[in-house]
Coordinates of all heavy atoms in Angstrom, one line a residue:
I32 N 30.7 29.0 -41.1 CA 29.7 28.0 -40.7 C 28.6 28.2 -41.7 O 28.0 29.2 -41.9 CB 29.1 28.2 -39.3 CG1 30.1 28.1 -38.2 CG2 28.0 27.2 -39.1 CD1 29.7 28.5 -36.9
K33 N 28.4 27.1 -42.6 CA 27.5 27.2 -43.6 C 26.2 26.5 -43.1 O 26.2 25.4 -42.8 CB 27.9 26.4 -44.9 CG 27.0 26.5 -46.0 CD 27.7 26.0 -47.3 CE 26.8 26.1 -48.5 NZ 27.3 25.5 -49.7
R34 N 25.1 27.2 -43.2 CA 23.8 26.7 -42.7 C 23.1 26.2 -44.0 O 22.4 27.0 -44.8 CB 23.0 27.7 -42.1 CG 23.5 28.1 -40.7 CD 22.6 29.0 -39.9 NE 23.1 29.0 -38.5 CZ 23.8 30.1 -38.1 NH1 24.1 31.1 -38.8 NH2 24.2 30.1 -36.8
A35 N 23.2 24.9 -44.3 CA 22.6 24.4 -45.5 C 21.2 23.7 -45.3 O 20.4 23.5 -46.2 CB 23.6 23.3 -46.1
N36 N 20.9 23.4 -44.0 CA 19.5 22.8 -43.7 C 18.6 23.8 -43.2 O 18.8 24.7 -42.5 CB 19.8 21.7 -42.7 CG 20.7 20.6 -43.0 OD1 20.6 20.2 -44.2 ND2 21.6 20.2 -42.1
G37 N 17.3 23.7 -43.6 CA 16.3 24.5 -43.3 C 15.0 23.8 -42.7 O 14.9 22.6 -42.9
I38 N 14.3 24.5 -42.0 CA 13.0 24.1 -41.4 C 12.0 25.1 -41.9 O 12.2 26.3 -41.8 CB 13.0 24.0 -40.0 CG1 14.0 23.0 -39.4 CG2 11.6 23.7 -39.4 CD1 14.3 22.9 -37.9
R39 N 10.8 24.5 -42.3 CA 9.8 25.4 -42.8 C 8.7 25.4 -41.8 O 8.2 24.3 -41.3 CB 9.2 24.9 -44.2 CG 8.2 25.8 -44.7 CD 7.7 25.3 -46.1 NE 6.8 26.2 -46.6 CZ 6.5 26.5 -47.9 NH1 7.2 25.8 -48.7 NH2 5.5 27.3 -48.2
V40 N 8.2 26.6 -41.4 CA 7.2 26.7 -40.4 C 6.1 27.6 -41.0 O 6.3 28.6 -41.5 CB 7.8 27.4 -39.1 CG1 6.6 27.7 -38.1 CG2 8.9 26.6 -38.5
R41 N 4.8 27.2 -40.8 CA 3.7 28.0 -41.3 C 3.2 28.8 -40.2 O 3.0 28.3 -39.0 CB 2.6 27.0 -41.8 CG 3.1 26.2 -43.1 CD 1.8 25.6 -43.7 NE 2.3 25.0 -45.0 CZ 2.3 25.7 -46.1 NH1 2.0 26.9 -46.2 NH2 2.6 25.1 -47.2
L42 N 3.0 30.0 -40.4 CA 2.4 31.0 -39.4 C 1.2 31.7 -40.0 O 1.0 31.8 -41.1 CB 3.5 32.1 -39.2 CG 4.9 31.6 -38.8 CD1 5.9 32.8 -39.0 CD2 4.9 31.0 -37.5
T43 N 0.4 32.2 -39.0 CA -0.7 33.1 -39.4 C -0.1 34.5 -39.6 O 1.0 34.7 -39.2 CB -1.7 33.1 -38.3 OG1 -1.2 33.6 -37.1 CG2 -2.4 31.7 -38.0
A44 N -1.0 35.3 -40.1 CA -0.5 36.7 -40.4 C -0.2 37.3 -39.0 O 0.8 38.1 -38.9 CB -1.5 37.4 -41.1
T45 N -0.9 37.1 -38.1 CA -0.7 37.7 -36.7 C 0.7 37.2 -36.1 O 1.5 38.0 -35.6 CB -1.9 37.3 -35.8 OG1 -3.1 37.8 -36.4 CG2 -1.7 38.0 -34.4
E46 N 0.8 35.8 -36.2 CA 2.0 35.2 -35.7 C 3.2 35.9 -36.3 O 4.3 36.2 -35.8 CB 2.1 33.7 -35.8 CG 1.0 33.0 -34.9 CD 0.9 31.5 -35.3 OE1 1.2 31.2 -36.5 OE2 0.4 30.8 -34.5
R47 N 3.3 36.0 -37.7 CA 4.3 36.5 -38.4 C 4.6 38.0 -38.0 O 5.8 38.4 -37.9 CB 4.1 36.4 -39.9 CG 5.3 37.0 -40.7 CD 5.2 36.7 -42.2 NE 6.3 37.4 -42.9 CZ 7.3 36.7 -43.3 NH1 7.4 35.4 -43.2 NH2 8.2 37.3 -43.9
F48 N 3.5 38.7 -37.9 CA 3.7 40.1 -37.5 C 4.3 40.2 -36.1 O 5.2 41.1 -35.9 CB 2.3 40.8 -37.4 CG 2.4 42.3 -36.9 CD1 2.9 43.2 -37.8 CD2 1.9 42.5 -35.6 CE1 2.9 44.5 -37.3 CE2 2.0 43.9 -35.1 CZ 2.5 44.8 -36.0
L49 N 3.9 39.4 -35.1 CA 4.5 39.4 -33.8 C 6.0 39.1 -33.9 O 6.8 39.7 -33.2 CB 3.8 38.5 -32.9 CG 2.4 38.9 -32.5 CD1 1.7 37.8 -31.7 CD2 2.4 40.2 -31.6
I50 N 6.3 38.0 -34.6 CA 7.8 37.6 -34.7 C 8.6 38.7 -35.4 O 9.7 38.9 -34.9 CB 7.8 36.2 -35.4 CG1 7.3 35.1 -34.6 CG2 9.3 36.0 -35.9 CD1 7.1 33.8 -35.3
E51 N 8.1 39.2 -36.5 CA 8.8 40.3 -37.2 C 9.1 41.5 -36.2 O 10.1 42.1 -36.2 CB 8.1 40.8 -38.3 CG 8.1 39.9 -39.5 CD 7.2 40.2 -40.7 OE1 6.5 41.2 -40.6 OE2 7.4 39.7 -41.8
S52 N 8.0 41.9 -35.5 CA 8.1 43.0 -34.6 C 9.1 42.8 -33.4 O 10.0 43.6 -33.1 CB 6.8 43.4 -34.0 OG 6.2 42.5 -33.2
K53 N 9.2 41.6 -32.9 CA 10.1 41.2 -31.9 C 11.5 41.2 -32.3 O 12.5 41.6 -31.7 CB 9.8 39.9 -31.3 CG 8.5 39.8 -30.3 CD 8.2 38.5 -29.8 CE 7.0 38.6 -28.8 NZ 6.7 37.3 -28.2
A54 N 11.8 40.7 -33.6 CA 13.0 40.7 -34.2 C 13.5 42.0 -34.5 O 14.7 42.4 -34.3 CB 13.0 39.8 -35.5
R55 N 12.6 42.9 -35.0 CA 12.9 44.3 -35.3 C 13.4 45.0 -34.0 O 14.3 45.8 -34.0 CB 11.7 45.0 -35.9 CG 12.1 46.4 -36.5 CD 11.0 47.0 -37.2 NE 10.2 46.0 -38.1 CZ 8.9 45.7 -37.9 NH1 8.3 46.1 -36.8 NH2 8.3 44.9 -38.7
Q56 N 12.7 44.8 -32.8 CA 13.0 45.3 -31.6 C 14.3 44.9 -31.1 O 15.1 45.6 -30.5 CB 12.0 45.0 -30.5 CG 10.6 45.8 -30.7 CD 9.6 45.3 -29.8 OE1 9.8 44.2 -28.9 NE2 8.5 45.9 -29.7
A57 N 14.7 43.7 -31.4 CA 16.0 43.1 -31.0 C 17.1 43.5 -31.9 O 18.3 43.2 -31.7 CB 15.9 41.6 -30.9
G58 N 16.7 44.1 -33.0 CA 17.7 44.5 -34.1 C 18.3 43.3 -34.8 O 19.5 43.3 -35.1
M59 N 17.5 42.3 -35.0 CA 17.9 41.0 -35.6 C 17.1 40.8 -36.8 O 16.0 41.3 -37.0 CB 17.8 39.9 -34.6 CG 18.6 40.1 -33.3 SD 18.1 38.7 -32.2 CE 19.1 37.3 -32.7
R60 N 17.7 39.9 -37.6 CA 16.9 39.4 -38.8 C 16.0 38.3 -38.2 O 16.2 37.8 -37.1 CB 17.8 38.7 -39.8 CG 18.6 39.7 -40.5 CD 19.5 39.1 -41.6 NE 19.9 37.7 -41.1 CZ 20.6 36.9 -41.9 NH1 21.0 37.2 -43.2 NH2 21.1 35.7 -41.4
I61 N 14.9 38.1 -38.9 CA 13.8 37.2 -38.5 C 14.5 35.8 -38.2 O 14.2 35.2 -37.2 CB 12.6 37.1 -39.5 CG1 12.0 38.4 -39.5 CG2 11.6 36.0 -39.0 CD1 10.8 38.5 -40.5
S62 N 15.2 35.3 -39.2 CA 15.8 33.9 -39.0 C 16.8 33.9 -37.9 O 16.8 32.9 -37.1 CB 16.5 33.5 -40.3 OG 17.6 34.4 -40.6
D63 N 17.5 34.9 -37.7 CA 18.4 34.9 -36.4 C 17.6 35.0 -35.2 O 18.0 34.2 -34.2 CB 19.3 36.2 -36.6 CG 20.4 36.1 -37.7 OD1 20.6 35.0 -38.1 OD2 20.8 37.1 -38.1
W64 N 16.6 35.7 -35.1 CA 15.8 35.8 -33.9 C 15.1 34.5 -33.6 O 15.2 34.0 -32.5 CB 14.7 36.9 -34.0 CG 14.0 37.0 -32.8 CD1 14.2 37.9 -31.7 CD2 12.7 36.4 -32.4 NE1 13.3 37.8 -30.7 CE2 12.4 36.9 -31.1 CE3 11.9 35.4 -33.0 CZ2 11.2 36.5 -30.5 CZ3 10.8 35.0 -32.3 CH2 10.5 35.5 -31.1
I65 N 14.5 33.8 -34.7 CA 13.9 32.5 -34.4 C 15.0 31.4 -34.0 O 14.7 30.6 -33.1 CB 13.1 32.1 -35.7 CG1 12.0 32.9 -36.0 CG2 12.7 30.6 -35.7 CD1 11.2 32.7 -37.2
R66 N 16.1 31.4 -34.6 CA 17.2 30.6 -34.2 C 17.6 30.8 -32.8 O 17.6 29.8 -32.0 CB 18.4 30.7 -35.2 CG 19.4 29.7 -35.0 CD 20.6 29.9 -35.9 NE 20.2 29.9 -37.3 CZ 20.2 30.9 -38.1 NH1 20.6 32.1 -37.7 NH2 19.8 30.9 -39.4
A67 N 17.7 32.0 -32.4 CA 18.2 32.3 -31.0 C 17.1 31.9 -30.0 O 17.3 31.2 -28.9 CB 18.5 33.8 -30.8
A68 N 15.8 32.2 -30.4 CA 14.7 31.9 -29.5 C 14.5 30.3 -29.3 O 14.3 29.8 -28.3 CB 13.4 32.4 -30.0
A69 N 14.7 29.6 -30.5 CA 14.6 28.1 -30.4 C 15.8 27.5 -29.5 O 15.5 26.5 -28.9 CB 14.6 27.5 -31.8
L70 N 16.9 28.1 -29.8 CA 18.0 27.4 -29.0 C 18.0 27.8 -27.6 O 18.5 26.9 -26.7 CB 19.4 27.8 -29.7 CG 19.6 27.4 -31.1 CD1 20.9 28.0 -31.6 CD2 19.7 25.9 -31.1
K71 N 17.4 28.9 -27.1 CA 17.5 29.2 -25.8 C 16.1 28.8 -25.1 O 16.0 28.9 -23.9 CB 17.5 30.8 -25.6 CG 18.9 31.2 -26.0 CD 19.0 32.8 -25.8 CE 20.3 33.3 -26.3 NZ 20.4 34.7 -26.3
A72 N 15.3 28.2 -25.8 CA 13.9 27.8 -25.3 C 14.1 26.6 -24.3 O 14.9 25.7 -24.5 CB 12.9 27.5 -26.3

Side-chain angles (χ1 to χ4, degrees):
I32 299 173
K33 185 175 180 180
R34 292 189 169 98
N36 299 317
I38 297 175
R39 185 174 179 153
V40 178
R41 295 197 173 271
L42 304 169
T43 64
T45 305
E46 291 169 337
R47 183 175 176 102
F48 176 77
L49 288 173
I50 290 172
E51 284 176 346
S52 63
K53 287 180 180 183
R55 197 176 311 113
Q56 287 173 353
M59 301 171 79
R60 295 183 319 176
I61 295 171
S62 58
D63 293 336
W64 186 88
I65 290 174
R66 189 179 301 111
L70 292 174
K71 292 178 184 176

